[in-house]
């Protein structure tokens, strides 16, 4: 099942743009946890919380200041595991471009205009693979894997190679913007 939302550019209302519909559909069909890769400051996770029905939500945000805001938003919200790490296709550290004014566009890759003119800080962040994280945390089934990583989508998918090949990821949603085509 694929939800095609090609005319949804600049629609960040998760109820209207299909993201919550996709989550609810996946949760009604599949067992497992929900992973929010590229959680930023908890926008999607907060919108998803009412629909989890006791399932655990694992959020990944590698930028320390965004992670601190994520913690303040989600620290006391149910079965939530917050991780100050990014997911990719390797375990280690990578150089990262952080945009303090618009943290949602922070990326491993060059930040596109017009955001790049707002000031970008270069930092190093820790990453791991989705397969490694699942192994270390005993995750057998992923009902929904949400990816919003500003250009690293393919690398994140490569890091879930084993989970995807063994059909342990049941539903996958990713955002892909024109800045990273």
């Amino acid at each position: 099942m694929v939800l095609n939302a090609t005319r949804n550019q600049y629609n960040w209302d998760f109820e209207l743009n299909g993201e919550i519909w996709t989550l609810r559909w996946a949760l009604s069909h599949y067992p497992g946890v929900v992973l929010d890769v590229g959680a930023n400051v908890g926008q999607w996770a907060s919108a998803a919380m009412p629909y989890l029905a006791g399932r655990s939500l694992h959020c990944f945000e590698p930028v320390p200041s965004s992670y601190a805001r994520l913690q303040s938003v989600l620290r006391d919200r149910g079965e939530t595991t917050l991780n100050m790490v990014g997911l990719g296709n390797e375990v280690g550290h990578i150089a990262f471009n952080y945009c303090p004014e618009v943290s949602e566009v922070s990326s491993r890759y060059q930040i596109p205009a017009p955001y790049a003119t707002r000031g970008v800080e270069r930092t190093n962040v820790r990453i791991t693979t989705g397969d490694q994280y699942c192994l270390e945390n005993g995750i057998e089934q992923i009902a929904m894997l949400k990816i919003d990583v500003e250009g690293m989508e393919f690398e994140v998918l490569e890091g879930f190679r084993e989970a995807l090949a063994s059909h342990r990821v049941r539903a996958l949603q990713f955002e892909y913007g024109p800045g990273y085509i």
Side-chain angles (χ1 to χ4, degrees):
M1 199 285 292
V2 174
L3 176 64
N4 184 352
T6 58
R7 303 234 187 269
N8 255 340
Q9 189 171 359
Y10 305 114
N11 180 356
W12 293 284
D13 184 325
F14 303 121
E15 289 286 346
L16 296 178
N17 69 13
E19 291 184 63
I20 293 300
W21 182 92
T22 303
L23 172 69
R24 292 177 69 192
W25 183 88
L27 294 178
S28 72
H29 286 79
Y30 304 121
V33 303
V34 176
L35 303 184
D36 181 359
V37 182
N40 192 250
V41 298
Q43 306 94 315
W44 186 89
S46 294
M49 293 297 291
Y51 306 103
L52 296 177
R55 294 178 196 234
S56 64
L57 171 65
H58 297 253
C59 298
F60 302 86
E61 176 52 50
V63 177
S65 57
S66 295
Y67 180 78
R69 289 179 58 203
L70 177 67
Q71 280 184 304
S72 69
V73 169
L74 295 178
R75 98 178 75 207
D76 298 320
R77 302 277 306 266
E79 295 293 321
T80 305
T81 302
L82 305 179
N83 300 281
M84 193 170 75
V85 64
L87 296 186
N89 60 1
E90 60 187 331
V91 175
H93 290 81
I94 60 170
F96 205 78
N97 298 303
Y98 171 59
C99 185
E101 193 174 318
V102 188
S103 64
E104 297 89 345
V105 301
S106 298
S107 175
R108 176 182 196 161
Y109 299 104
Q110 181 177 343
I111 294 177
Y115 305 109
T117 61
R118 297 185 181 189
V120 175
E121 299 173 10
R122 193 96 159 134
T123 186
N124 282 318
V125 300
R126 188 170 67 92
I127 65 168
T128 190
T129 68
D131 286 333
Q132 184 66 34
Y133 181 83
C134 289
L135 180 67
E136 291 172 0
N137 291 276
I139 296 173
E140 294 293 324
Q141 290 289 319
I142 300 168
M144 175 73 162
L145 171 58
K146 172 264 186 187
I147 304 171
D148 183 356
V149 292
E150 304 304 316
M152 280 187 64
E153 293 80 7
F154 187 70
E155 292 163 72
V156 171
L157 292 171
E158 285 182 318
F160 279 97
R161 183 179 312 270
E162 290 177 31
L164 289 165
S166 62
H167 305 284
R168 292 184 292 131
V169 176
R170 303 304 306 206
L172 172 63
Q173 176 230 311
F174 64 93
E175 178 180 299
Y176 199 76
Y180 299 102
I181 293 174

